[in-house]
Amino acid sequence: MRIELLFFASARDLSGATEAIVELPDGADIAALVRQVVSQYADLASVAASARFARNEEFVSQDTPLQDGDQVAWLPPMSGG
């Protein structure tokens, strides 16, 4: 299945991309997506554990199953002041 992945904030900086198309096997979940993406963009490992994810604009946990055509946003922790 094809997933559209959007990178924000430090995830965008670390990956060097704003988005990516990720191919995953049927039945994959967010955790599988994270593993696949970290294998391609190793620098993202530093923000993977603390990141939040939104599937089709709704926050989800990493055990949430994905479906072909889903859009997932990778949202690393934010800091500000």
Side-chain angles (χ1 to χ4, degrees):
M1 69 180 149
R2 291 180 73 133
I3 304 300
E4 179 185 11
L5 180 61
L6 306 176
F7 297 109
F8 291 92
S10 62
R12 180 181 55 229
D13 297 338
L14 292 167
S15 68
T18 57
E19 62 184 56
I21 300 297
V22 181
E23 295 282 342
L24 293 170
D26 289 344
D29 59 11
I30 297 284
L33 172 68
V34 171
R35 287 190 300 273
Q36 173 81 15
V37 171
V38 167
S39 75
Q40 294 174 343
Y41 302 98
D43 290 343
L44 285 173
S46 65
V47 295
S50 57
R52 298 218 37 215
F53 299 90
R55 184 185 120 221
N56 302 328
E57 300 183 9
E58 289 188 29
F59 285 108
V60 294
S61 64
Q62 288 200 26
D63 62 353
T64 300
L66 295 168
Q67 296 180 6
D68 186 48
D70 279 349
Q71 182 183 70
V72 175
W74 182 309
L75 305 159
M78 298 291 216
S79 64

